[in-house]
Amino acid sequence: MRKAGSVRLSVADEAPWSSTGVFHWEQSRTAELVRKRDYDDAQFAMRMVDRAFYVGQSGSGWARVPLGAASEEESGPADRGAAQIAVFWVIDPLFQLDVHGRLGSVVRKGDEKVDGAPAVHYRSTVENSAFVSAIGDDLPAARRDAVQLALELRGATVAADFWIGPGGEVLKMAVDLPTQRDGSTAVRYSDYGRAAAVQAPPPAEILNPNG
């Protein structure tokens, strides 16, 4: 999967919303997740590029949150963006597969199909503290405590179900999103190696360019 360099994803969402996204791992880890409302095309988007996190809404520009430059007021339990930041690791198939493969309690559930494609279903859990530690320098210390707290609102562990295709690629995951109170969310992955590059928003659209 790492050799593929990128992947597209779609997140099971509740009507009238639909969510899609992209991960890139070729040079540095970048990502985008876009949530769209069907009846009026309103969009809410998140991007992670060059150790900065961007949140945007259609027609309203982008807010920039430097991942490593949180003030005391922004870090810890008061960091309202921590759950959104955590989502980018919870739905990253490459990161999740690596962490659960090394640190998880993995159970093989059986052979199944995902959208007609053969897959092996696995279930695994990893302690929250181990999950956050595995993020390493991609999440500076200023944000780690807040992200771990956001994960702990869903339980003591990060749980994930994986459906792995014949080539070792993740076709689907079911995960507990830290932005939701209960229930797991299905995320499907496709077009490995063919996803468009993720860029930071244009400077003119960033409302707080200095973070």
Side-chain angles (χ1 to χ4, degrees), residues 1 114 117-122 162-172:
M1 288 189 352
V114 176
V120 180
H121 179 190
Y122 297 91
F162 299 87
W163 285 262
I164 309 298
E169 73 281 12
V170 178
L171 301 179
K172 176 183 171 183

Side-chain angles (χ1 to χ4, degrees), residues 2 93-103 134:
R2 185 178 295 277
L94 184 64
F95 176 77
Q96 282 272 40
L97 195 63
D98 175 68
V99 170
H100 284 271
R102 292 187 295 108
L103 306 173

Side-chain angles (χ1 to χ4, degrees), residues 90-177:
V90 172
I91 66 174
D92 182 338
L94 184 64
F95 176 77
Q96 282 272 40
L97 195 63
D98 175 68
V99 170
H100 284 271
R102 292 187 295 108
L103 306 173
S105 301
V106 182
V107 177
R108 191 182 192 276
K109 304 299 290 185
D111 296 331
E112 301 179 17
K113 289 186 180 294
V114 176
D115 299 327
V120 180
H121 179 190
Y122 297 91
R123 181 169 296 159
S124 179
T125 58
V126 170
E127 294 291 331
N128 288 335
S129 57
F131 186 89
V132 173
S133 294
I135 294 173
D137 292 340
D138 283 341
L139 186 64
R143 298 286 180 185
R144 288 177 193 164
D145 289 346
V147 167
Q148 183 165 333
L149 180 62
L151 293 173
E152 288 173 354
L153 294 176
R154 293 301 310 270
T157 61
V158 176
D161 284 69
F162 299 87
W163 285 262
I164 309 298
E169 73 281 12
V170 178
L171 301 179
K172 176 183 171 183
M173 285 199 306
V175 293
D176 296 338
L177 295 180

